[in-house]
Amino acid sequence: MGPGPPARRYTVVAILLHWTSAFCVLALIGIGLVMTHAGLAPMRQFQLYQWHKSVGITVLALTTLRLAWRAFHRPPRHPVGMPAPARRAAGAVHGLLYLLLVGLPLTGWAIVSLSPFQIPTVLYGLVPWPHLPLAAFLTDAAAAEEVAKRVHACWAWLLTALLALHVAAALRHHLILRDDSLRRMLPAGRPPTSSEHTEAIR
């Protein structure tokens, strides 16, 4: 069973998953910057690392749900008159965002799993989370951990840049182009205009 016809706006589930993911990602960026650059006391830093890991696994779960939901619920089409290059660019940015929302939690999970300290992860202080069995397949776990750290850091900055681009594009559509791109993802957004609906059902 494939996706149905394009909708006039995003479903309630898609909207909920999107904004929950956005909140979690912003929290991850903030926590990540503080825990690595603020010079905190060891216990406070440890607590933030635990929160960072907990929210990261949450983002991985939310992204998995988003991809599964999207596979069976076709999102609205792009606004009427949007040039083909802009559509391709939007698709590329969305695709890269999804890749990072999967790749970043996985690299973070790998870092924790390869660490010589083997500090347990307990999600939100309640749910024990296992380590990936990576060390058994590697001849140099320390080198692999260092690579994972570098990739994780680079991807985190890339995600931050893409999020800024994503927000800027959404505001441009809303404030300058005055189409319904942003309203279709808002919980209380109004339905698209009749011309946009016509484009969606073609």
Side-chain angles (χ1 to χ4, degrees):
M1 179 179 175
R8 297 179 64 182
R9 56 181 274 111
Y10 289 92
T11 65
V12 173
V13 173
I15 292 171
L16 178 62
L17 290 173
H18 172 273
W19 290 109
T20 304
S21 298
F23 174 80
C24 288
V25 169
L26 291 176
L28 280 173
I29 293 172
I31 294 171
L33 289 172
V34 172
M35 73 186 193
T36 55
H37 298 291
L40 301 174
M43 182 53 67
R44 177 62 65 183
Q45 189 178 44
F46 170 80
Q47 292 170 341
L48 286 182
Y49 267 96
Q50 289 293 330
W51 274 102
H52 192 76
K53 291 188 287 183
S54 298
V55 180
I57 294 299
T58 301
V59 167
L60 180 60
L62 287 170
T63 305
T64 302
L65 289 174
R66 290 177 70 182
L67 290 171
W69 186 262
R70 190 182 180 94
F72 295 99
H73 299 81
R74 186 177 298 176
R77 292 183 186 272
H78 292 294
V80 175
M82 186 174 178
R87 297 185 185 206
R88 288 193 293 270
V93 169
H94 277 93
L96 189 52
L97 281 172
Y98 276 116
L99 285 175
L100 291 173
L101 291 176
V102 173
L104 272 164
L106 289 179
T107 54
W109 193 0
I111 292 169
V112 174
S113 303
L114 291 168
S115 171
F117 302 108
Q118 289 295 291
I119 297 174
T121 297
V122 183
L123 303 183
Y124 302 104
L126 298 172
V127 182
W129 191 257
H131 289 163
L132 294 168
L134 298 175
F137 303 97
L138 298 170
T139 56
D140 192 344
E145 181 194 11
E146 188 60 32
V147 170
K149 284 181 177 179
R150 292 181 181 180
V151 171
H152 190 77
C154 290
W155 285 0
W157 286 113
L158 177 58
L159 176 63
T160 302
L162 286 176
L163 284 177
L165 179 62
H166 184 61
V167 171
L171 292 176
R172 175 176 177 269
H173 277 279
H174 187 69
L175 299 175
I176 299 176
L177 301 180
R178 296 188 179 279
D179 59 40
D180 284 315
S181 296
L182 178 59
R183 279 189 290 267
R184 292 183 298 184
M185 184 51 84
L186 294 176
R190 67 174 177 79
T193 61
S194 58
S195 62
E196 287 176 324
H197 184 222
T198 301
E199 170 72 12
I201 60 178
R202 287 179 183 172

